[in-house]
Amino acid sequence: MKMRRGGHSLTWDFSDERAFEIYDLDPEEWHQLEEMARKANAGSGANLDDLLYARVLSPDKQGIGDAWDELVDKILAYLELEGHLPRPMQFKLHQKALKDILANLVAASSQDPKLYVRFSRREGDLDGFPFKPKIRLVNALEKAGFIVYRRGEYDHDKNKGRQSRMRATEKLGAMLLEVDASPSSIVIQHPPVLIKDEQGTYREPKPSMRARDMARKVMRINEALLAQEVGMDLPAGMPAPHTPNSRLPLDTTRRLVCRIFADQGLKLGGRFYRHWAQEMKREYRPYLTLNGEPTVELDFGCCHPSMLHAEAGLPARADAYELPGVPRDLAKAAFSVLLFHDREGTAPHAMFNSAKDKGFDITYEDGRKILAMMRAHHPAIEDYFFKGHSLRLQYKDSCIAEEIMFILIRDGIPFLPIHDSFIVPKRHESALGHYMNDAYCKHVGQHPIIKRKEAPAPGSTS
């Protein structure tokens, strides 16, 4: 069985022409993009840094606190005084748009001064910003020297292009210091409860007592998350973490969670998502700090297999994901496919795609064999396979997670939720283990397998 770990090195310089490998561009497209950059920004020194190293402008990224209102008022007054932006008719609309643009610029600059914010100048594109105020403000900010601006380019013949880019200058940074508007007060806002349909579209649930109660609980959890300081204490020489499959730094403004369901009744799925700590590779999580303290992560081992064994009246199995000759991540993906899909015929294709997403190079036939091995490994719960039980079990583990988080809030213990594991300061490890055991027993009816997560060795696949 042929398998290898995939993925790209993320330690490269934008002047290095090997960079096209990072973005899965072939050499021809790489040189085409360089030519587009040259034409769009003749004489400005722009390169693929300007075209690719950018985070999208988001109206959900907002600065919280009076300092941000003060910053907006100072900049609008400056732009008007210097003649860059006469006082607009829709003043409040411009105020709100500028506040959100500044939050995006400051957040990007705090993560990397070279990081751009990309946006569309095409009126038909819906990005959540009022089009004319956005363009007026960007033009005025450039004239005033508050941003570096790179114009986008579009090839109509090839139907390809790159959006416009902007990033904060030192002048904007100096204005920020004057009003004490801290990057740590920038947060991506989103609804506390969402439904994700089969097409991947997110929407809020219809109003109901159940939805409102869930939203209130998520908001209380988010209050606790915002009240704590999350940091990282990396060993010397360890590179900073990046967004998966990208060179972009982790977006640390993603400090809130939301519950994402798969049904209107809010009984399928429901896990807590969207905090930035959930996005990093697991080898970085042991180096997270909470309020300056070192942390520990405790995990419900083999969570869904254990739940199914409990439903079948059997004890949990610590070897649920152990297949001879198969890396644990790949075996775990196989179990997820068996549990999530309700049609056996589509499973090998799903296994192939899941393995590819995890960086494994396997054939379609390899995927079929691994699924067969996993089925044979679990004869006692085989009746649960190909019946779509995964989302039902996710709802159960999300309810357990919610109960644990509220106990931690009650006791004043800082925490980070990572789906079916939790990170707390090391001095609270014993308390967390006790709470996890009690909550799991209450919902499942037997004791869980609780594991202390350790940093995997470099290159490990387990």
Side-chain angles (χ1 to χ4, degrees), residues 131-392:
F131 177 74
K132 290 183 179 179
K134 176 182 70 176
I135 300 304
R136 289 194 193 106
L137 288 165
V138 169
N139 291 343
L141 289 169
E142 184 195 12
K143 290 177 184 177
F146 287 123
I147 62 171
V148 173
Y149 170 66
R150 297 287 184 255
R151 181 167 59 89
E153 182 78 1
Y154 189 76
D155 188 325
H156 290 276
D157 293 333
K158 296 182 178 178
N159 197 30
K160 289 184 178 181
R162 289 293 181 270
Q163 290 183 324
S164 296
R165 260 74 168 158
M166 59 180 168
R167 69 184 179 195
T169 62
E170 292 183 1
K171 184 175 181 179
L172 179 57
M175 187 77 81
L176 194 73
L177 292 175
E178 290 181 15
V179 299
D180 195 27
S182 170
S184 64
S185 61
I186 302 172
V187 177
I188 288 186
Q189 303 278 2
H190 47 68
V193 179
L194 288 171
I195 296 173
K196 182 181 180 181
D197 62 24
E198 293 181 356
Q199 288 71 43
T201 302
Y202 294 93
R203 68 178 189 277
E204 293 189 62
K206 295 177 181 178
S208 68
M209 288 292 292
R210 181 176 175 81
R212 284 192 290 270
D213 181 59
M214 285 188 173
R216 281 194 296 268
K217 290 179 178 178
V218 175
M219 291 167 68
R220 179 67 189 95
I221 291 168
N222 282 331
E223 287 176 10
L225 292 174
L226 287 177
Q228 60 195 26
E229 180 184 342
V230 185
M232 294 201 73
D233 186 13
L234 295 177
M238 189 175 190
H242 292 77
T243 301
N245 304 315
S246 166
R247 189 183 181 272
L248 296 179
L250 286 173
D251 189 351
T252 53
T253 64
R254 298 172 69 95
R255 298 166 58 201
L256 306 178
V257 295
C258 70
R259 290 190 78 172
I260 299 181
F261 289 87
D263 69 316
Q264 183 61 47
L266 306 181
K267 292 185 178 180
L268 295 175
R271 281 183 166 180
F272 295 81
Y273 291 97
R274 297 197 174 180
H275 194 283
W276 66 268
Q278 297 173 336
E279 295 183 346
M280 66 171 55
K281 292 183 177 180
R282 62 171 174 259
E283 56 259 37
Y284 283 95
R285 296 206 294 262
Y287 307 108
L288 286 167
T289 61
L290 283 169
N291 296 338
E293 295 187 56
T295 60
V296 64
E297 180 179 358
L298 297 185
D299 169 62
F300 285 122
C302 305
C303 185
H304 286 180
S306 296
M307 288 181 173
L308 292 179
H309 277 82
E311 290 183 12
L314 300 169
R317 288 180 57 179
D319 67 343
Y321 300 135
E322 294 181 13
L323 297 178
V326 180
R328 191 175 189 275
D329 279 357
L330 200 54
K332 189 174 181 179
F335 190 90
S336 296
V337 169
L338 293 175
L339 203 59
F340 184 82
H341 285 264
D342 55 8
R343 288 187 298 171
E344 187 171 350
T346 62
H349 183 70
M351 182 64 207
F352 176 82
N353 289 333
S354 181
K356 184 178 179 181
D357 290 342
K358 292 179 180 295
F360 291 100
D361 182 16
I362 69 171
T363 66
Y364 183 91
E365 183 61 20
D366 290 336
R368 189 187 64 78
K369 289 179 180 179
I370 294 171
L371 289 172
M373 291 170 66
M374 182 57 74
R375 290 183 72 174
H377 190 54
H378 288 286
I381 57 172
E382 187 178 8
D383 288 346
Y384 288 95
F385 296 153
F386 301 120
K387 293 180 181 176
H389 282 287
S390 180
L391 293 172
R392 176 180 67 84

Side-chain angles (χ1 to χ4, degrees), residues 71-88 94 98 102 136-147 171 175:
L71 177 65
V72 168
D73 291 342
K74 284 178 72 73
I75 289 182
L76 283 175
Y78 180 91
L79 295 177
E80 183 177 357
L81 180 66
E82 296 296 318
H84 301 308
L85 182 71
R87 185 176 178 86
H94 283 70
L98 178 59
L102 292 174
R136 289 194 193 106
L137 288 165
V138 169
N139 291 343
L141 289 169
E142 184 195 12
K143 290 177 184 177
F146 287 123
I147 62 171
K171 184 175 181 179
M175 187 77 81

Side-chain angles (χ1 to χ4, degrees), residues 93-112:
L93 194 63
H94 283 70
Q95 270 186 320
K96 175 66 169 64
L98 178 59
K99 185 176 180 180
D100 294 344
I101 289 172
L102 292 174
N104 279 263
L105 289 167
V106 172
S109 179
S110 69
Q111 291 157 17
D112 185 345

Side-chain angles (χ1 to χ4, degrees), residues 6-20:
H8 301 295
S9 168
L10 294 174
T11 56
W12 58 283
D13 188 277
F14 277 107
S15 62
D16 185 348
E17 290 205 355
R18 290 181 296 107
F20 66 81

